[in-house]
PDB file of all heavy atoms in Angstrom:
ATOM      1  N   VAL A 549      -8.711   1.073 -11.662  1.00  0.00           N
ATOM      2  CA  VAL A 549      -9.850   0.223 -12.014  1.00  0.00           C
ATOM      3  C   VAL A 549      -9.376  -1.039 -12.714  1.00  0.00           C
ATOM      4  O   VAL A 549      -9.881  -2.140 -12.472  1.00  0.00           O
ATOM      5  CB  VAL A 549     -10.848   1.001 -12.892  1.00  0.00           C
ATOM      6  CG1 VAL A 549     -11.989   0.096 -13.349  1.00  0.00           C
ATOM      7  CG2 VAL A 549     -11.409   2.191 -12.121  1.00  0.00           C
ATOM      8  N   GLU A 550      -8.378  -0.898 -13.579  1.00  0.00           N
ATOM      9  CA  GLU A 550      -7.835  -2.064 -14.277  1.00  0.00           C
ATOM     10  C   GLU A 550      -7.245  -3.073 -13.304  1.00  0.00           C
ATOM     11  O   GLU A 550      -7.273  -4.286 -13.543  1.00  0.00           O
ATOM     12  CB  GLU A 550      -6.776  -1.618 -15.286  1.00  0.00           C
ATOM     13  CG  GLU A 550      -7.354  -0.871 -16.485  1.00  0.00           C
ATOM     14  CD  GLU A 550      -6.275  -0.251 -17.354  1.00  0.00           C
ATOM     15  OE1 GLU A 550      -5.074  -0.408 -17.013  1.00  0.00           O
ATOM     16  OE2 GLU A 550      -6.615   0.398 -18.356  1.00  0.00           O
ATOM     17  N   LYS A 551      -6.725  -2.586 -12.185  1.00  0.00           N
ATOM     18  CA  LYS A 551      -6.164  -3.490 -11.179  1.00  0.00           C
ATOM     19  C   LYS A 551      -7.243  -4.105 -10.287  1.00  0.00           C
ATOM     20  O   LYS A 551      -6.953  -4.994  -9.490  1.00  0.00           O
ATOM     21  CB  LYS A 551      -5.148  -2.741 -10.311  1.00  0.00           C
ATOM     22  CG  LYS A 551      -3.865  -2.384 -11.044  1.00  0.00           C
ATOM     23  CD  LYS A 551      -2.873  -1.707 -10.109  1.00  0.00           C
ATOM     24  CE  LYS A 551      -1.555  -1.401 -10.809  1.00  0.00           C
ATOM     25  NZ  LYS A 551      -0.578  -0.748  -9.904  1.00  0.00           N
ATOM     26  N   GLY A 552      -8.470  -3.596 -10.404  1.00  0.00           N
ATOM     27  CA  GLY A 552      -9.556  -4.172  -9.624  1.00  0.00           C
ATOM     28  C   GLY A 552     -10.020  -3.341  -8.454  1.00  0.00           C
ATOM     29  O   GLY A 552     -10.742  -3.836  -7.570  1.00  0.00           O
ATOM     30  N   PHE A 553      -9.659  -2.049  -8.399  1.00  0.00           N
ATOM     31  CA  PHE A 553     -10.058  -1.193  -7.284  1.00  0.00           C
ATOM     32  C   PHE A 553     -11.576  -1.042  -7.215  1.00  0.00           C
ATOM     33  O   PHE A 553     -12.252  -0.874  -8.235  1.00  0.00           O
ATOM     34  CB  PHE A 553      -9.417   0.188  -7.431  1.00  0.00           C
ATOM     35  CG  PHE A 553      -9.907   1.191  -6.431  1.00  0.00           C
ATOM     36  CD1 PHE A 553      -9.419   1.198  -5.137  1.00  0.00           C
ATOM     37  CD2 PHE A 553     -10.879   2.128  -6.780  1.00  0.00           C
ATOM     38  CE1 PHE A 553      -9.879   2.117  -4.205  1.00  0.00           C
ATOM     39  CE2 PHE A 553     -11.339   3.055  -5.862  1.00  0.00           C
ATOM     40  CZ  PHE A 553     -10.844   3.051  -4.572  1.00  0.00           C
ATOM     41  N   THR A 554     -12.109  -1.095  -6.002  1.00  0.00           N
ATOM     42  CA  THR A 554     -13.526  -0.824  -5.748  1.00  0.00           C
ATOM     43  C   THR A 554     -13.633   0.129  -4.563  1.00  0.00           C
ATOM     44  O   THR A 554     -12.663   0.327  -3.809  1.00  0.00           O
ATOM     45  CB  THR A 554     -14.307  -2.109  -5.429  1.00  0.00           C
ATOM     46  OG1 THR A 554     -13.855  -2.625  -4.166  1.00  0.00           O
ATOM     47  CG2 THR A 554     -14.115  -3.157  -6.514  1.00  0.00           C
ATOM     48  N   LEU A 555     -14.810   0.701  -4.365  1.00  0.00           N
ATOM     49  CA  LEU A 555     -15.010   1.599  -3.232  1.00  0.00           C
ATOM     50  C   LEU A 555     -14.815   0.867  -1.906  1.00  0.00           C
ATOM     51  O   LEU A 555     -14.414   1.475  -0.904  1.00  0.00           O
ATOM     52  CB  LEU A 555     -16.407   2.217  -3.299  1.00  0.00           C
ATOM     53  CG  LEU A 555     -16.658   3.183  -4.461  1.00  0.00           C
ATOM     54  CD1 LEU A 555     -18.102   3.660  -4.447  1.00  0.00           C
ATOM     55  CD2 LEU A 555     -15.707   4.374  -4.402  1.00  0.00           C
ATOM     56  N   LYS A 556     -15.088  -0.410  -1.894  1.00  0.00           N
ATOM     57  CA  LYS A 556     -14.898  -1.181  -0.665  1.00  0.00           C
ATOM     58  C   LYS A 556     -13.450  -1.109  -0.184  1.00  0.00           C
ATOM     59  O   LYS A 556     -13.175  -1.181   1.015  1.00  0.00           O
ATOM     60  CB  LYS A 556     -15.314  -2.636  -0.888  1.00  0.00           C
ATOM     61  CG  LYS A 556     -15.260  -3.487   0.385  1.00  0.00           C
ATOM     62  CD  LYS A 556     -15.793  -4.905   0.147  1.00  0.00           C
ATOM     63  CE  LYS A 556     -15.746  -5.708   1.446  1.00  0.00           C
ATOM     64  NZ  LYS A 556     -16.272  -7.081   1.276  1.00  0.00           N
ATOM     65  N   ASP A 557     -12.506  -0.962  -1.125  1.00  0.00           N
ATOM     66  CA  ASP A 557     -11.094  -0.893  -0.751  1.00  0.00           C
ATOM     67  C   ASP A 557     -10.808   0.320   0.138  1.00  0.00           C
ATOM     68  O   ASP A 557      -9.880   0.293   0.951  1.00  0.00           O
ATOM     69  CB  ASP A 557     -10.215  -0.853  -2.000  1.00  0.00           C
ATOM     70  CG  ASP A 557     -10.292  -2.152  -2.796  1.00  0.00           C
ATOM     71  OD1 ASP A 557     -10.403  -3.220  -2.168  1.00  0.00           O
ATOM     72  OD2 ASP A 557     -10.255  -2.091  -4.040  1.00  0.00           O
ATOM     73  N   ILE A 558     -11.585   1.393  -0.030  1.00  0.00           N
ATOM     74  CA  ILE A 558     -11.432   2.552   0.852  1.00  0.00           C
ATOM     75  C   ILE A 558     -11.731   2.137   2.289  1.00  0.00           C
ATOM     76  O   ILE A 558     -10.997   2.484   3.226  1.00  0.00           O
ATOM     77  CB  ILE A 558     -12.360   3.699   0.409  1.00  0.00           C
ATOM     78  CG1 ILE A 558     -11.918   4.244  -0.948  1.00  0.00           C
ATOM     79  CG2 ILE A 558     -12.393   4.812   1.456  1.00  0.00           C
ATOM     80  CD1 ILE A 558     -12.845   5.302  -1.518  1.00  0.00           C
ATOM     81  N   GLY A 559     -12.800   1.392   2.476  1.00  0.00           N
ATOM     82  CA  GLY A 559     -13.137   0.909   3.808  1.00  0.00           C
ATOM     83  C   GLY A 559     -12.086  -0.021   4.375  1.00  0.00           C
ATOM     84  O   GLY A 559     -11.775   0.031   5.574  1.00  0.00           O
ATOM     85  N   VAL A 560     -11.518  -0.870   3.521  1.00  0.00           N
ATOM     86  CA  VAL A 560     -10.462  -1.787   3.967  1.00  0.00           C
ATOM     87  C   VAL A 560      -9.254  -0.996   4.470  1.00  0.00           C
ATOM     88  O   VAL A 560      -8.662  -1.310   5.511  1.00  0.00           O
ATOM     89  CB  VAL A 560     -10.055  -2.731   2.811  1.00  0.00           C
ATOM     90  CG1 VAL A 560      -8.824  -3.551   3.197  1.00  0.00           C
ATOM     91  CG2 VAL A 560     -11.214  -3.659   2.448  1.00  0.00           C
ATOM     92  N   VAL A 561      -8.887   0.056   3.727  1.00  0.00           N
ATOM     93  CA  VAL A 561      -7.750   0.898   4.115  1.00  0.00           C
ATOM     94  C   VAL A 561      -8.022   1.600   5.440  1.00  0.00           C
ATOM     95  O   VAL A 561      -7.177   1.597   6.354  1.00  0.00           O
ATOM     96  CB  VAL A 561      -7.447   1.928   3.007  1.00  0.00           C
ATOM     97  CG1 VAL A 561      -6.523   3.034   3.528  1.00  0.00           C
ATOM     98  CG2 VAL A 561      -6.815   1.245   1.809  1.00  0.00           C
ATOM     99  N   LEU A 562      -9.177   2.231   5.569  1.00  0.00           N
ATOM    100  CA  LEU A 562      -9.492   2.969   6.791  1.00  0.00           C
ATOM    101  C   LEU A 562      -9.539   2.035   7.997  1.00  0.00           C
ATOM    102  O   LEU A 562      -9.021   2.377   9.079  1.00  0.00           O
ATOM    103  CB  LEU A 562     -10.820   3.706   6.629  1.00  0.00           C
ATOM    104  CG  LEU A 562     -10.845   4.813   5.563  1.00  0.00           C
ATOM    105  CD1 LEU A 562     -12.227   5.441   5.484  1.00  0.00           C
ATOM    106  CD2 LEU A 562      -9.796   5.877   5.846  1.00  0.00           C
ATOM    107  N   HIS A 563     -10.106   0.868   7.845  1.00  0.00           N
ATOM    108  CA  HIS A 563     -10.144  -0.090   8.953  1.00  0.00           C
ATOM    109  C   HIS A 563      -8.734  -0.474   9.381  1.00  0.00           C
ATOM    110  O   HIS A 563      -8.383  -0.434  10.574  1.00  0.00           O
ATOM    111  CB  HIS A 563     -10.933  -1.341   8.540  1.00  0.00           C
ATOM    112  CG  HIS A 563     -10.802  -2.472   9.515  1.00  0.00           C
ATOM    113  ND1 HIS A 563      -9.918  -3.527   9.316  1.00  0.00           N
ATOM    114  CD2 HIS A 563     -11.414  -2.706  10.707  1.00  0.00           C
ATOM    115  CE1 HIS A 563     -10.000  -4.347  10.346  1.00  0.00           C
ATOM    116  NE2 HIS A 563     -10.901  -3.891  11.194  1.00  0.00           N
ATOM    117  N   ALA A 564      -7.901  -0.830   8.420  1.00  0.00           N
ATOM    118  CA  ALA A 564      -6.542  -1.293   8.742  1.00  0.00           C
ATOM    119  C   ALA A 564      -5.696  -0.177   9.356  1.00  0.00           C
ATOM    120  O   ALA A 564      -5.028  -0.374  10.381  1.00  0.00           O
ATOM    121  CB  ALA A 564      -5.878  -1.835   7.481  1.00  0.00           C
ATOM    122  N   LYS A 565      -5.720   1.000   8.740  1.00  0.00           N
ATOM    123  CA  LYS A 565      -4.836   2.074   9.192  1.00  0.00           C
ATOM    124  C   LYS A 565      -5.292   2.685  10.512  1.00  0.00           C
ATOM    125  O   LYS A 565      -4.454   3.094  11.330  1.00  0.00           O
ATOM    126  CB  LYS A 565      -4.738   3.154   8.115  1.00  0.00           C
ATOM    127  CG  LYS A 565      -3.995   2.698   6.863  1.00  0.00           C
ATOM    128  CD  LYS A 565      -2.568   2.235   7.171  1.00  0.00           C
ATOM    129  CE  LYS A 565      -1.671   3.382   7.570  1.00  0.00           C
ATOM    130  NZ  LYS A 565      -0.279   2.932   7.858  1.00  0.00           N
ATOM    131  N   PHE A 566      -6.584   2.770  10.733  1.00  0.00           N
ATOM    132  CA  PHE A 566      -7.034   3.283  12.028  1.00  0.00           C
ATOM    133  C   PHE A 566      -6.600   2.348  13.146  1.00  0.00           C
ATOM    134  O   PHE A 566      -6.214   2.795  14.234  1.00  0.00           O
ATOM    135  CB  PHE A 566      -8.554   3.463  12.042  1.00  0.00           C
ATOM    136  CG  PHE A 566      -9.038   4.693  11.303  1.00  0.00           C
ATOM    137  CD1 PHE A 566     -10.377   4.852  11.008  1.00  0.00           C
ATOM    138  CD2 PHE A 566      -8.158   5.687  10.912  1.00  0.00           C
ATOM    139  CE1 PHE A 566     -10.834   5.983  10.332  1.00  0.00           C
ATOM    140  CE2 PHE A 566      -8.592   6.821  10.233  1.00  0.00           C
ATOM    141  CZ  PHE A 566      -9.938   6.970   9.943  1.00  0.00           C
ATOM    142  N   HIS A 567      -6.643   1.047  12.900  1.00  0.00           N
ATOM    143  CA  HIS A 567      -6.142   0.100  13.903  1.00  0.00           C
ATOM    144  C   HIS A 567      -4.632   0.237  14.079  1.00  0.00           C
ATOM    145  O   HIS A 567      -4.121   0.212  15.202  1.00  0.00           O
ATOM    146  CB  HIS A 567      -6.497  -1.332  13.497  1.00  0.00           C
ATOM    147  CG  HIS A 567      -7.834  -1.794  13.994  1.00  0.00           C
ATOM    148  ND1 HIS A 567      -8.108  -1.959  15.327  1.00  0.00           N
ATOM    149  CD2 HIS A 567      -8.976  -2.133  13.337  1.00  0.00           C
ATOM    150  CE1 HIS A 567      -9.357  -2.375  15.489  1.00  0.00           C
ATOM    151  NE2 HIS A 567      -9.919  -2.487  14.282  1.00  0.00           N
ATOM    152  N   GLN A 568      -3.905   0.378  12.978  1.00  0.00           N
ATOM    153  CA  GLN A 568      -2.441   0.456  13.053  1.00  0.00           C
ATOM    154  C   GLN A 568      -1.968   1.749  13.711  1.00  0.00           C
ATOM    155  O   GLN A 568      -1.061   1.751  14.546  1.00  0.00           O
ATOM    156  CB  GLN A 568      -1.836   0.354  11.653  1.00  0.00           C
ATOM    157  CG  GLN A 568      -1.968  -1.016  11.010  1.00  0.00           C
ATOM    158  CD  GLN A 568      -1.535  -1.008   9.563  1.00  0.00           C
ATOM    159  OE1 GLN A 568      -0.958  -0.043   9.079  1.00  0.00           O
ATOM    160  NE2 GLN A 568      -1.832  -2.079   8.842  1.00  0.00           N
ATOM    161  N   ASP A 569      -2.580   2.870  13.324  1.00  0.00           N
ATOM    162  CA  ASP A 569      -2.070   4.175  13.747  1.00  0.00           C
ATOM    163  C   ASP A 569      -2.671   4.668  15.062  1.00  0.00           C
ATOM    164  O   ASP A 569      -2.123   5.568  15.688  1.00  0.00           O
ATOM    165  CB  ASP A 569      -2.347   5.219  12.658  1.00  0.00           C
ATOM    166  CG  ASP A 569      -1.633   4.899  11.345  1.00  0.00           C
ATOM    167  OD1 ASP A 569      -0.720   4.044  11.365  1.00  0.00           O
ATOM    168  OD2 ASP A 569      -1.980   5.493  10.310  1.00  0.00           O
ATOM    169  N   PHE A 570      -3.810   4.112  15.456  1.00  0.00           N
ATOM    170  CA  PHE A 570      -4.489   4.588  16.659  1.00  0.00           C
ATOM    171  C   PHE A 570      -4.826   3.416  17.587  1.00  0.00           C
ATOM    172  O   PHE A 570      -5.927   3.323  18.125  1.00  0.00           O
ATOM    173  CB  PHE A 570      -5.766   5.347  16.282  1.00  0.00           C
ATOM    174  CG  PHE A 570      -5.506   6.575  15.448  1.00  0.00           C
ATOM    175  CD1 PHE A 570      -5.510   6.503  14.060  1.00  0.00           C
ATOM    176  CD2 PHE A 570      -5.240   7.798  16.047  1.00  0.00           C
ATOM    177  CE1 PHE A 570      -5.263   7.624  13.289  1.00  0.00           C
ATOM    178  CE2 PHE A 570      -4.994   8.927  15.283  1.00  0.00           C
ATOM    179  CZ  PHE A 570      -5.002   8.845  13.899  1.00  0.00           C
ATOM    180  N   THR A 571      -3.853   2.556  17.761  1.00  0.00           N
ATOM    181  CA  THR A 571      -4.066   1.313  18.499  1.00  0.00           C
ATOM    182  C   THR A 571      -4.629   1.538  19.897  1.00  0.00           C
ATOM    183  O   THR A 571      -5.527   0.807  20.341  1.00  0.00           O
ATOM    184  CB  THR A 571      -2.743   0.531  18.598  1.00  0.00           C
ATOM    185  OG1 THR A 571      -2.236   0.307  17.286  1.00  0.00           O
ATOM    186  CG2 THR A 571      -2.950  -0.788  19.306  1.00  0.00           C
ATOM    187  N   LYS A 572      -4.131   2.550  20.587  1.00  0.00           N
ATOM    188  CA  LYS A 572      -4.506   2.730  21.994  1.00  0.00           C
ATOM    189  C   LYS A 572      -5.971   3.105  22.171  1.00  0.00           C
ATOM    190  O   LYS A 572      -6.600   2.730  23.161  1.00  0.00           O
ATOM    191  CB  LYS A 572      -3.618   3.794  22.643  1.00  0.00           C
ATOM    192  CG  LYS A 572      -3.893   3.988  24.121  1.00  0.00           C
ATOM    193  CD  LYS A 572      -2.906   4.934  24.755  1.00  0.00           C
ATOM    194  CE  LYS A 572      -3.279   5.232  26.209  1.00  0.00           C
ATOM    195  NZ  LYS A 572      -3.334   4.020  27.035  1.00  0.00           N
ATOM    196  N   ILE A 573      -6.532   3.832  21.199  1.00  0.00           N
ATOM    197  CA  ILE A 573      -7.891   4.331  21.395  1.00  0.00           C
ATOM    198  C   ILE A 573      -8.935   3.621  20.542  1.00  0.00           C
ATOM    199  O   ILE A 573     -10.130   3.832  20.715  1.00  0.00           O
ATOM    200  CB  ILE A 573      -7.974   5.850  21.133  1.00  0.00           C
ATOM    201  CG1 ILE A 573      -7.557   6.175  19.695  1.00  0.00           C
ATOM    202  CG2 ILE A 573      -7.134   6.610  22.133  1.00  0.00           C
ATOM    203  CD1 ILE A 573      -7.777   7.624  19.307  1.00  0.00           C
ATOM    204  N   VAL A 574      -8.499   2.799  19.602  1.00  0.00           N
ATOM    205  CA  VAL A 574      -9.429   2.150  18.680  1.00  0.00           C
ATOM    206  C   VAL A 574      -9.505   0.653  18.963  1.00  0.00           C
ATOM    207  O   VAL A 574      -8.487  -0.039  18.943  1.00  0.00           O
ATOM    208  CB  VAL A 574      -9.008   2.394  17.212  1.00  0.00           C
ATOM    209  CG1 VAL A 574      -9.843   1.535  16.264  1.00  0.00           C
ATOM    210  CG2 VAL A 574      -9.153   3.861  16.855  1.00  0.00           C
ATOM    211  N   ASP A 575     -10.710   0.165  19.201  1.00  0.00           N
ATOM    212  CA  ASP A 575     -10.940  -1.273  19.372  1.00  0.00           C
ATOM    213  C   ASP A 575     -11.716  -1.865  18.206  1.00  0.00           C
ATOM    214  O   ASP A 575     -11.478  -2.993  17.803  1.00  0.00           O
ATOM    215  CB  ASP A 575     -11.697  -1.549  20.676  1.00  0.00           C
ATOM    216  CG  ASP A 575     -10.872  -1.225  21.899  1.00  0.00           C
ATOM    217  OD1 ASP A 575      -9.643  -1.420  21.853  1.00  0.00           O
ATOM    218  OD2 ASP A 575     -11.447  -0.760  22.897  1.00  0.00           O
ATOM    219  N   LYS A 576     -12.667  -1.102  17.669  1.00  0.00           N
ATOM    220  CA  LYS A 576     -13.483  -1.585  16.561  1.00  0.00           C
ATOM    221  C   LYS A 576     -13.674  -0.475  15.531  1.00  0.00           C
ATOM    222  O   LYS A 576     -13.843   0.689  15.896  1.00  0.00           O
ATOM    223  CB  LYS A 576     -14.865  -2.050  17.044  1.00  0.00           C
ATOM    224  CG  LYS A 576     -14.882  -3.345  17.841  1.00  0.00           C
ATOM    225  CD  LYS A 576     -16.324  -3.731  18.163  1.00  0.00           C
ATOM    226  CE  LYS A 576     -16.418  -5.082  18.850  1.00  0.00           C
ATOM    227  NZ  LYS A 576     -17.842  -5.458  19.101  1.00  0.00           N
ATOM    228  N   VAL A 577     -13.668  -0.882  14.257  1.00  0.00           N
ATOM    229  CA  VAL A 577     -13.915   0.063  13.164  1.00  0.00           C
ATOM    230  C   VAL A 577     -14.866  -0.596  12.170  1.00  0.00           C
ATOM    231  O   VAL A 577     -14.592  -1.699  11.682  1.00  0.00           O
ATOM    232  CB  VAL A 577     -12.615   0.462  12.432  1.00  0.00           C
ATOM    233  CG1 VAL A 577     -12.927   1.419  11.278  1.00  0.00           C
ATOM    234  CG2 VAL A 577     -11.618   1.096  13.387  1.00  0.00           C
ATOM    235  N   GLN A 578     -15.956   0.074  11.888  1.00  0.00           N
ATOM    236  CA  GLN A 578     -16.901  -0.388  10.878  1.00  0.00           C
ATOM    237  C   GLN A 578     -17.088   0.737   9.861  1.00  0.00           C
ATOM    238  O   GLN A 578     -17.258   1.895  10.238  1.00  0.00           O
ATOM    239  CB  GLN A 578     -18.242  -0.754  11.515  1.00  0.00           C
ATOM    240  CG  GLN A 578     -19.308  -1.211  10.520  1.00  0.00           C
ATOM    241  CD  GLN A 578     -20.572  -1.690  11.216  1.00  0.00           C
ATOM    242  OE1 GLN A 578     -20.534  -2.528  12.119  1.00  0.00           O
ATOM    243  NE2 GLN A 578     -21.731  -1.156  10.810  1.00  0.00           N
ATOM    244  N   VAL A 579     -17.047   0.395   8.579  1.00  0.00           N
ATOM    245  CA  VAL A 579     -17.121   1.407   7.525  1.00  0.00           C
ATOM    246  C   VAL A 579     -18.279   1.085   6.585  1.00  0.00           C
ATOM    247  O   VAL A 579     -18.393  -0.045   6.080  1.00  0.00           O
ATOM    248  CB  VAL A 579     -15.814   1.482   6.711  1.00  0.00           C
ATOM    249  CG1 VAL A 579     -15.895   2.624   5.695  1.00  0.00           C
ATOM    250  CG2 VAL A 579     -14.613   1.680   7.631  1.00  0.00           C
ATOM    251  N   THR A 580     -19.119   2.098   6.366  1.00  0.00           N
ATOM    252  CA  THR A 580     -20.213   1.973   5.406  1.00  0.00           C
ATOM    253  C   THR A 580     -20.057   3.056   4.352  1.00  0.00           C
ATOM    254  O   THR A 580     -19.889   4.230   4.696  1.00  0.00           O
ATOM    255  CB  THR A 580     -21.576   2.123   6.091  1.00  0.00           C
ATOM    256  OG1 THR A 580     -21.653   1.219   7.200  1.00  0.00           O
ATOM    257  CG2 THR A 580     -22.699   1.813   5.113  1.00  0.00           C
ATOM    258  N   LEU A 581     -20.104   2.661   3.080  1.00  0.00           N
ATOM    259  CA  LEU A 581     -19.975   3.610   1.976  1.00  0.00           C
ATOM    260  C   LEU A 581     -21.307   3.668   1.225  1.00  0.00           C
ATOM    261  O   LEU A 581     -21.745   2.666   0.653  1.00  0.00           O
ATOM    262  CB  LEU A 581     -18.841   3.197   1.029  1.00  0.00           C
ATOM    263  CG  LEU A 581     -17.454   3.167   1.710  1.00  0.00           C
ATOM    264  CD1 LEU A 581     -17.038   1.727   1.964  1.00  0.00           C
ATOM    265  CD2 LEU A 581     -16.418   3.894   0.886  1.00  0.00           C
ATOM    266  N   TYR A 582     -21.941   4.811   1.274  1.00  0.00           N
ATOM    267  CA  TYR A 582     -23.234   5.005   0.626  1.00  0.00           C
ATOM    268  C   TYR A 582     -23.044   5.643  -0.752  1.00  0.00           C
ATOM    269  O   TYR A 582     -22.266   6.599  -0.893  1.00  0.00           O
ATOM    270  CB  TYR A 582     -24.122   5.924   1.464  1.00  0.00           C
ATOM    271  CG  TYR A 582     -24.462   5.388   2.835  1.00  0.00           C
ATOM    272  CD1 TYR A 582     -23.855   5.904   3.974  1.00  0.00           C
ATOM    273  CD2 TYR A 582     -25.398   4.379   2.992  1.00  0.00           C
ATOM    274  CE1 TYR A 582     -24.166   5.429   5.241  1.00  0.00           C
ATOM    275  CE2 TYR A 582     -25.718   3.879   4.259  1.00  0.00           C
ATOM    276  CZ  TYR A 582     -25.098   4.419   5.371  1.00  0.00           C
ATOM    277  OH  TYR A 582     -25.412   3.930   6.619  1.00  0.00           O
ATOM    278  N   THR A 583     -23.754   5.129  -1.759  1.00  0.00           N
ATOM    279  CA  THR A 583     -23.647   5.703  -3.104  1.00  0.00           C
ATOM    280  C   THR A 583     -25.018   6.029  -3.714  1.00  0.00           C
ATOM    281  O   THR A 583     -25.095   6.390  -4.882  1.00  0.00           O
ATOM    282  CB  THR A 583     -22.888   4.750  -4.049  1.00  0.00           C
ATOM    283  OG1 THR A 583     -23.588   3.500  -4.117  1.00  0.00           O
ATOM    284  CG2 THR A 583     -21.464   4.511  -3.574  1.00  0.00           C
ATOM    285  N   LYS A 584     -26.081   5.910  -2.911  1.00  0.00           N
ATOM    286  CA  LYS A 584     -27.406   6.338  -3.354  1.00  0.00           C
ATOM    287  C   LYS A 584     -27.656   7.737  -2.823  1.00  0.00           C
ATOM    288  O   LYS A 584     -27.369   8.035  -1.657  1.00  0.00           O
ATOM    289  CB  LYS A 584     -28.480   5.385  -2.843  1.00  0.00           C
ATOM    290  CG  LYS A 584     -28.391   3.969  -3.390  1.00  0.00           C
ATOM    291  CD  LYS A 584     -29.479   3.090  -2.783  1.00  0.00           C
ATOM    292  CE  LYS A 584     -29.396   1.655  -3.291  1.00  0.00           C
ATOM    293  NZ  LYS A 584     -30.429   0.791  -2.648  1.00  0.00           N
ATOM    294  N   LYS A 585     -28.214   8.598  -3.666  1.00  0.00           N
ATOM    295  CA  LYS A 585     -28.365  10.008  -3.317  1.00  0.00           C
ATOM    296  C   LYS A 585     -29.110  10.206  -2.008  1.00  0.00           C
ATOM    297  O   LYS A 585     -28.682  11.011  -1.156  1.00  0.00           O
ATOM    298  CB  LYS A 585     -29.073  10.767  -4.443  1.00  0.00           C
ATOM    299  CG  LYS A 585     -29.170  12.274  -4.213  1.00  0.00           C
ATOM    300  CD  LYS A 585     -29.832  12.970  -5.378  1.00  0.00           C
ATOM    301  CE  LYS A 585     -29.798  14.484  -5.188  1.00  0.00           C
ATOM    302  NZ  LYS A 585     -30.426  14.925  -3.933  1.00  0.00           N
ATOM    303  N   GLU A 586     -30.192   9.503  -1.812  1.00  0.00           N
ATOM    304  CA  GLU A 586     -30.983   9.713  -0.607  1.00  0.00           C
ATOM    305  C   GLU A 586     -30.204   9.327   0.659  1.00  0.00           C
ATOM    306  O   GLU A 586     -30.310   9.989   1.701  1.00  0.00           O
ATOM    307  CB  GLU A 586     -32.301   8.932  -0.668  1.00  0.00           C
ATOM    308  CG  GLU A 586     -32.149   7.414  -0.851  1.00  0.00           C
ATOM    309  CD  GLU A 586     -32.112   6.980  -2.299  1.00  0.00           C
ATOM    310  OE1 GLU A 586     -31.744   7.811  -3.171  1.00  0.00           O
ATOM    311  OE2 GLU A 586     -32.451   5.808  -2.568  1.00  0.00           O
ATOM    312  N   ASP A 587     -29.399   8.278   0.554  1.00  0.00           N
ATOM    313  CA  ASP A 587     -28.581   7.872   1.702  1.00  0.00           C
ATOM    314  C   ASP A 587     -27.470   8.884   1.982  1.00  0.00           C
ATOM    315  O   ASP A 587     -27.175   9.199   3.143  1.00  0.00           O
ATOM    316  CB  ASP A 587     -27.972   6.489   1.453  1.00  0.00           C
ATOM    317  CG  ASP A 587     -29.014   5.386   1.418  1.00  0.00           C
ATOM    318  OD1 ASP A 587     -30.070   5.547   2.057  1.00  0.00           O
ATOM    319  OD2 ASP A 587     -28.777   4.362   0.736  1.00  0.00           O
ATOM    320  N   VAL A 588     -26.845   9.367   0.912  1.00  0.00           N
ATOM    321  CA  VAL A 588     -25.760  10.345   1.058  1.00  0.00           C
ATOM    322  C   VAL A 588     -26.303  11.645   1.639  1.00  0.00           C
ATOM    323  O   VAL A 588     -25.684  12.260   2.521  1.00  0.00           O
ATOM    324  CB  VAL A 588     -25.060  10.586  -0.290  1.00  0.00           C
ATOM    325  CG1 VAL A 588     -24.008  11.689  -0.152  1.00  0.00           C
ATOM    326  CG2 VAL A 588     -24.403   9.303  -0.789  1.00  0.00           C
TER     327      VAL A 588
END
């Protein structure tokens, strides 16, 4: 947290790594992180 981590960074990681590690089968990655109880 002191370095500035946010939940959005999880989405950034998943987008980047899914493209890097699964290049042949992945063309697009969209990540939504819900933090409201009703949405979760």
